[in-house]
Amino acid sequence: MPPQTPSSAPERPLLGTMKRFLPYLWPKDSPGLRIRIVIALLLVVCSKLVQVYGAPFALQGAIDRMASGSRDGVWLVAALVTGYAAARLGGVLFDNLRNAVFERVGQDATRRLASDVFRHLHQLSLRFHLERRTGAITKVVERGTKSIDTMLYFLLFNIAPTILELALVVGIFATRFGWWLVAGTLTMVVVYIAFTRWVTDWRAKLREQMNNLDTGAVAHAVDSLLNFETVKYFNAEGRESARYDKAVSDYADAAVTSENSLAWLNIGQALITNLMMAAGLALVVFGWAAGKFTPGDVVLVSTLLAQLFRPLDLLGMVYRTIRQGVIDMAAMFDLIDTDAEVKDAPGAPPLVVGKGHVRFEDVHFGYEPSREILKGIDLDIPPGATVAVVGPSGAGKSTLARLMYRFYDLTGGRITIDGQDISQVQQATLRAAIGIVPQDTVLFNDTIGYNIAYGREGAGPEEVASAARGAAIAGFIQSLPEGFDTRVGERGLKLSGGEKQRVAIARTLVKNPPILILDEATSALDSRTEADIQATLEAIEHGRTTIVIAHRLSTVVHADRIIVLEAGRVAEQGTHAELLRKGGLYADMWARQAQEREEGEEVAAE
C-alpha cells in the first residue's frame, strides 16, 4: 500500500478550477473556433462507431466462417478481414483529422490565457512585484498556460470518447451475451476509476511538492544569475552553487518518490483489467461449450475489451494529467485573482494637463500601517518651475516619486495636478503625463534604438535620433559599428553608468512629458560624468514642471526652490542662497558635503 504522505500545499478545488477553465474551451467571441470543436466531436463519434461496430464484428464474422470448416466463402472471409483492416485505418484517419481540426482551438486557448495573465501581472501593484520572485512567477505562468492545451485535448478526446465507447460496448454485451458480462464490465470500470483516482490523488500531492521545490530551485537560479556581479564581489560562487545544489537535490528526491509511486498505479490497473479480461473470456468460453456462443464471439469480446482497456489505460494518465493541470492552472488563476492594490475609481476621467501645477496637500503615507514615512507633506510646485527635494537617507524623497506615479495610494491627504486629484483620474493618463530619469536605469536586453523609442509607442527613427542628440549621446551611438542597432545586454550591462543615464534621458525626451522627475539621476556616477549629465538635465528641465530628488546638493543649486525633508516632514524650504543664510539643516548638509569633496580632491592629488 502506498504511504500516506502529508502535503502542506493547499488542496486545489477541482470543480472550481474547471469552471474557470471552460470559457477558454468554448470562447463566446469566436464562432469559428466553436465550429471546429463541433466538427472535432463529430469526428470522435465517427471514429468510435467504426472502431466498435466495424473492426470487431468484421473479425468475428471472418473467424466464425473459418471455424465452420467450409472453404466455399473464402472471398467473403477475405472481404471481412479487409474490412477489419479498413475499419482500423478509418479509426486512425478520423482521430488524426480530429487533431488537425482541433489544433487551432488549443493554441488559441493557450494564447488567450497567457495574454490574460500577462496583462493582469502588469496591472498589479509595485508592492506585489517587489515581494515576489520573478523566476517563480514566470514558472507558474509557464506551467499554467501549457496545461490548458493538454486539458482541452484530454477532456474532449479521451474522457468523452471513453464514455461513448463504454456505452456502445455495454449495449453490445447486453444484447448478445447477457447482463452478467455487462455487470462485470461496469464493475471493472468503477473499480478501475476509483483505484486510479485514489492513487493519483496521493501522487498529486507528491507532484505538487515536487513543483514547489522545482519553482524554488528555478527562482533561486534566476535570482543568483541576475545578481552575478554581487556574487563575484563577495567571492560567493561556491556558496551559491551549494545552495542551488541543495535545492536541486531536494527536487530530485521528491521526483524519485513521485516516479516510484507510479509503479503502484500501473500494477493495480493491470491487475484490474486483466482479471476482467480473464473473467469475460471464461464466461464466453463456457457459453461456447454450452452451444450458446461461437468461436468468433470469443474474438469479439476479446477485441471489444482490449479496445476498451486501451482508453482506460490512458484514462489513468489522463486523470493524472488533468489533476496536475488543475494544480498548475489553479496556481496561475491565483495570480489572476490577485487583486490590484491601486485601481482607477469608477468612471475616472482622463487627466488633463494644462500648465502642470503640482501640489502635495497634507500627504501621509507608509508602506506598512505601523510605520509612516511621510507625515503631512505640503508642497506647491508652480508650473514650469524646478523644485528640488533633498534630505537625509530615509527621509521619504524617492517615495514622493512613487506616489506621483500612483504606484501606491495615500493613507491621507491628496496630490493634485492642475487641481485634479490624481487618485480620481485614469492611471494611464497620469503616467503618460510624467517622465522620470531614475537613479538606477534598467534597460531592456534589446538595441539602443529600441530602449530610446520605448519612451513613446510609435516613436519614429527621426524622433529617436533627435532625442539622442538632446541627451548628448548621439556621438557615442554613431561611433558604434551597429549604431542604434547595438544591443545593450541584460539590464544594459554593456553600457557604462553614464551611457545608461543618457539613454534614460533620451527615452524621457521621446516621451516629452509636461512633468519631469529626476530621481537622484546622477548619484551613482563619478563627478566628471555627473557634471556632463547635469548640464544635459538642466537643459531638458526648461519649459517643464520638474521635481529633482537629490542626495548631492551641488546638483540642485540651480533649482527655483529647494525642499528639505527630515523624518517625513518638510524641515526647510527656499532657494540655495536663502537656505545657506538660515544656517539650518541644509547649510549643515552643504558644509559636510563640501568638506567631503575637499578631502576627496586632496586624496586624488596625492
Side-chain angles (χ1 to χ4, degrees):
M1 300 291 288
Q4 297 300 318
T5 304
S7 173
S8 60
E11 184 69 22
R12 299 297 186 182
L14 178 61
L15 293 179
T17 303
M18 295 300 295
K19 185 178 179 180
R20 294 285 301 275
F21 158 77
L22 287 178
Y24 296 96
L25 171 62
W26 192 253
K28 295 181 179 180
D29 57 345
S30 298
L33 295 179
R34 289 185 172 189
I35 292 173
R36 283 178 173 270
I37 294 174
V38 172
I39 294 174
L41 291 176
L42 290 175
L43 289 170
V44 168
V45 173
C46 292
S47 174
K48 287 305 174 185
L49 290 175
V50 168
Q51 291 178 28
V52 172
Y53 287 106
F57 281 96
L59 188 59
Q60 180 216 24
I63 295 298
D64 281 341
R65 280 164 178 76
M66 293 174 67
S68 68
S70 173
R71 306 292 195 279
D72 295 337
V74 63
W75 287 106
L76 179 58
V77 172
L80 287 171
V81 295
T82 302
Y84 169 75
R88 288 174 58 87
L89 175 62
V92 173
L93 177 63
F94 286 130
D95 286 345
N96 281 275
L97 287 175
R98 171 205 71 193
N99 292 343
V101 170
F102 184 76
E103 181 62 25
R104 173 59 61 184
V105 178
Q107 292 298 329
D108 188 80
T110 302
R111 176 191 63 80
R112 287 167 177 263
L113 183 57
S115 296
D116 287 349
V117 177
F118 188 77
R119 187 182 305 110
H120 183 71
L121 285 174
H122 275 291
Q123 291 172 346
L124 294 179
S125 66
L126 178 63
R127 191 192 308 272
F128 172 86
H129 289 282
L130 291 177
E131 293 176 352
R132 295 291 292 269
R133 287 187 171 185
T134 303
I137 293 176
T138 54
K139 194 69 176 179
V140 168
V141 174
E142 176 189 355
R143 283 199 296 251
T145 52
K146 283 183 177 179
S147 67
I148 188 169
D149 186 40
T150 304
M151 290 181 69
L152 280 171
Y153 182 87
F154 283 139
L155 282 172
L156 289 177
F157 305 140
N158 285 89
I159 292 181
T162 299
I163 294 173
L164 174 60
E165 184 168 4
L166 176 62
L168 296 176
V169 170
V170 165
I172 294 172
F173 284 175
T175 56
R176 296 179 65 92
F177 302 104
W179 289 103
W180 283 106
L181 189 56
V182 171
T185 302
L186 293 177
T187 300
M188 181 272 297
V189 171
V190 170
V191 171
Y192 185 96
I193 292 175
F195 173 79
T196 299
R197 179 175 180 180
W198 173 61
V199 178
T200 302
D201 285 343
W202 166 61
R203 294 193 71 242
K205 294 179 181 179
L206 297 177
R207 181 76 180 183
E208 189 163 5
Q209 288 178 333
M210 188 175 72
N211 278 348
N212 290 337
L213 291 170
D214 182 32
T215 298
V218 172
H220 170 70
V222 171
D223 196 31
S224 179
L225 292 174
L226 287 176
N227 290 280
F228 172 81
E229 291 178 81
T230 304
V231 174
K232 289 292 186 184
Y233 291 152
F234 294 95
N235 197 29
E237 294 91 339
R239 200 186 322 162
E240 290 298 314
S241 296
R243 285 185 61 195
Y244 182 69
D245 183 67
K246 175 66 167 56
V248 174
S249 295
D250 290 342
Y251 170 77
D253 292 340
V256 168
T257 302
S258 177
E259 290 304 312
N260 287 345
S261 66
L262 183 61
W264 288 97
L265 186 61
N266 291 337
I267 292 172
Q269 289 173 337
L271 177 64
I272 294 169
T273 54
N274 284 286
L275 283 175
M276 178 58 209
M277 178 69 80
L281 292 181
L283 180 66
V284 178
V285 168
F286 282 117
W288 167 77
K292 292 184 184 179
F293 306 133
T294 67
D297 288 331
V298 176
V299 175
L300 177 64
V301 171
S302 174
T303 304
L304 289 174
L305 286 177
Q307 288 187 173
L308 182 60
F309 292 163
R310 196 158 49 244
L312 281 179
D313 286 340
L314 288 176
L315 189 62
M317 183 267 291
V318 168
Y319 180 77
R320 291 194 303 272
T321 302
I322 290 179
R323 191 70 181 83
Q324 181 58 41
V326 168
I327 292 171
D328 293 338
M329 291 184 65
M332 187 180 56
F333 283 134
D334 286 345
L335 289 179
I336 294 179
D337 292 337
T338 301
D339 201 19
E341 181 180 345
V342 179
K343 298 179 180 178
D344 284 343
L351 175 68
V352 179
V353 181
K355 298 179 180 179
H357 187 184
V358 178
R359 287 181 57 87
F360 287 71
E361 302 175 6
D362 192 28
V363 170
H364 290 258
F365 174 74
Y367 294 104
E368 301 295 336
S370 59
R371 180 170 173 262
E372 193 172 46
I373 303 296
L374 302 180
K375 305 170 184 178
I377 298 293
D378 285 297
L379 298 178
D380 190 339
I381 305 172
T386 296
V387 173
V389 181
V390 301
S393 297
K397 303 186 297 296
S398 293
T399 299
L400 294 178
R402 290 178 171 180
L403 295 179
M404 278 285 293
Y405 267 94
R406 206 182 162 210
F407 288 156
Y408 301 93
D409 277 331
L410 306 179
T411 54
R414 68 173 192 161
I415 302 172
T416 65
I417 297 177
D418 289 337
Q420 303 161 84
D421 188 338
I422 66 171
S423 67
Q424 302 302 313
V425 300
Q426 297 171 7
Q427 296 177 67
T429 59
L430 167 66
R431 291 166 188 159
I434 304 173
I436 188 168
V437 179
Q439 174 183 1
D440 183 18
T441 298
V442 178
L443 303 180
F444 291 97
N445 189 4
D446 209 298
T447 65
I448 292 178
Y450 173 85
N451 278 281
I452 294 176
Y454 199 80
R456 191 182 77 254
E457 185 176 6
E462 284 300 321
E463 294 173 284
V464 170
S466 176
R469 289 191 294 271
I473 196 176
F476 165 74
I477 296 174
Q478 290 170 0
S479 70
L480 298 173
E482 297 182 66
F484 283 96
D485 293 328
T486 302
R487 301 191 72 87
V488 302
E490 188 80 27
R491 296 181 296 142
L493 291 178
K494 291 184 179 181
L495 302 180
S496 69
E499 291 158 358
K500 286 200 297 183
Q501 289 299 81
R502 291 190 187 279
V503 170
I505 294 170
R507 184 164 57 188
T508 302
L509 288 175
V510 167
K511 187 175 185 179
N512 194 27
I515 300 171
L516 179 64
I517 299 175
L518 305 177
D519 187 4
E520 304 208 38
T522 63
S523 63
L525 305 176
D526 61 85
S527 57
R528 181 174 179 178
T529 305
E530 178 188 42
D532 293 339
I533 291 184
Q534 188 62 37
T536 305
L537 291 175
E538 291 179 18
I540 70 172
E541 290 172 14
H542 293 299
R544 309 175 199 271
T545 302
T546 305
I547 301 174
V548 182
I549 298 169
H551 174 71
R552 297 180 184 175
L553 303 185
S554 60
T555 63
V556 298
V557 295
H558 68 288
D560 300 314
R561 188 152 49 97
I562 299 173
I563 310 294
V564 183
L565 293 186
E566 184 180 28
R569 292 185 172 90
V570 176
E572 301 172 338
Q573 57 180 305
T575 64
H576 172 69
E578 291 170 349
L579 291 173
L580 286 180
R581 285 195 296 270
K582 285 183 179 180
L585 178 60
Y586 180 85
D588 182 60
M589 293 170 60
W590 177 265
R592 193 181 312 116
Q593 290 188 13
Q595 182 179 356
E596 291 173 356
R597 285 196 301 271
E598 291 175 1
E599 292 174 353
E601 290 172 359
E602 291 176 0
V603 171
E606 294 176 358

